[in-house]
Amino acid sequence: MTEMIEIYGKTGATGVIVALFIYMIMNLISSQKDQTEDIDSMRQHAAKMDTKIDNMQSILLKMLDRWNKSDDSSLRHRETMVGELHDLSDVMMEVKGALSRINGRN
């Protein structure tokens, strides 16, 4: 009978250890599943952020191109105005010269 109790004691201790080991494995599997779901969620969120960043980058590049074109056209306009002023200055110099010759004859 004492031998039977010893066998049950050893088997019971082994059973408890096996049960704890199985519990540990089940807990690790559950934890791994939760981590996998979290990682998938983070991947989806990162993909959305990449899309938004790409869209913003495209918008900014288009805006900069438009800004540069606007600067180019305003620069051409200013250059045209300066050219016209130089032409008017030349004409005024001719008029001034003609006036001085007319006044010099009188």
Side-chain angles (χ1 to χ4, degrees):
M1 181 82 167
T2 57
E3 286 181 27
M4 205 61 158
I5 294 176
E6 285 181 31
I7 291 174
Y8 283 128
K10 289 180 182 178
T11 307
T14 305
V16 168
I17 291 172
V18 168
L20 289 174
F21 183 73
I22 290 172
Y23 174 75
M24 182 182 70
I25 296 296
M26 296 300 287
N27 193 12
L28 286 173
I29 290 171
S30 174
S31 175
Q32 183 66 30
K33 181 182 174 188
D34 292 342
Q35 287 177 355
T36 302
E37 290 173 359
D38 289 343
I39 289 172
D40 287 341
S41 174
M42 286 190 278
R43 282 183 186 149
Q44 290 174 356
H45 187 66
K48 289 178 185 177
M49 287 190 332
D50 283 344
T51 302
K52 286 183 181 180
I53 288 172
D54 288 342
N55 289 340
M56 288 176 62
Q57 184 180 17
S58 174
I59 290 169
L60 285 173
L61 289 175
K62 287 177 185 176
M63 187 177 75
L64 287 172
D65 286 342
R66 188 172 189 171
W67 197 349
N68 287 336
K69 286 178 185 176
S70 174
D71 286 348
D72 289 343
S73 66
S74 65
L75 180 63
R76 282 194 304 268
H77 179 69
R78 278 188 232 114
E79 288 173 352
T80 303
M81 295 300 285
V82 168
E84 291 291 327
L85 284 173
H86 286 302
D87 291 344
L88 283 174
S89 175
D90 292 342
V91 169
M92 290 303 292
M93 288 304 219
E94 289 175 14
V95 169
K96 185 178 177 183
L99 284 175
S100 68
R101 278 181 282 172
I102 291 173
N103 287 337
R105 289 185 186 170
N106 290 336

